[in-house]
Amino acid sequence: QVHFVESGGGLVQAGGSLRLSCAASRRTFNGYTMAWFRQAPGKEREFVGKINWSGSSTYYTDSVKGRFTISRDNAKTTVYLQMNSLQPEDTAVYYCAAQSMPYGLGTDNRRDYGYWGQGTQVTVSS
């Protein structure tokens, strides 16, 4: 079993930046694709982006491309989501998730991710 703890959420004005962190409870999460999802009030949880286990490949949903960046530090078993140029529509609870994927980048489907953090709230004011 592996557990994740997100941090770094908060309230920011439109145009501002935040960096979210997701720390794993185990010593290693090699072999896992890590993804970020978000869920706004009254909406379904949606995919934001993902990174393969080595950190060599990333993929983002269109609405955040060029603004958000995912990175990971496997030595610290932590994945990050750098969010720039935040907009009110980015307001949501953000979750990190893990999918066992020793090869490739994995899927965008939340049902394929077996491990989740508890979420951290990001609120962007206009």
Side-chain angles (χ1 to χ4, degrees):
Q1 274 284 5
V2 59
H3 302 281
F4 297 99
V5 177
E6 296 107 332
S7 60
L11 173 64
V12 64
Q13 288 188 335
S17 298
L18 282 175
R19 189 176 83 150
L20 306 184
S21 298
C22 169
S25 62
R26 63 193 297 178
R27 287 187 175 184
T28 177
F29 60 1
N30 290 350
Y32 285 84
T33 281
M34 295 299 299
W36 288 92
F37 290 79
R38 64 186 181 186
Q39 188 166 18
K43 294 188 176 182
E44 290 193 353
R45 192 169 299 187
E46 66 172 358
F47 170 81
V48 173
K50 59 187 173 182
I51 186 167
N52 69 341
W53 78 266
S54 68
S56 62
S57 184
T58 55
Y59 178 81
Y60 304 91
T61 195
D62 286 346
S63 62
V64 308
K65 281 181 183 176
R67 300 189 298 124
F68 289 12
T69 302
I70 297 175
S71 60
R72 66 191 291 166
D73 185 337
N74 287 341
K76 296 181 179 179
T77 59
T78 300
V79 63
Y80 305 96
L81 178 64
Q82 177 67 45
M83 305 185 293
N84 299 328
S85 302
L86 282 161
Q87 300 301 316
E89 52 265 35
D90 296 316
T91 295
V93 177
Y94 283 71
Y95 300 88
C96 65
Q99 179 184 57
S100 179
M101 190 60 57
Y103 303 100
L105 200 46
T107 71
D108 304 346
N109 190 331
R110 65 182 188 272
R111 294 175 177 83
D112 294 330
Y113 287 78
Y115 304 100
W116 292 82
Q118 83 289 352
T120 185
Q121 176 70 47
V122 171
T123 303
V124 185
S125 63
S126 57

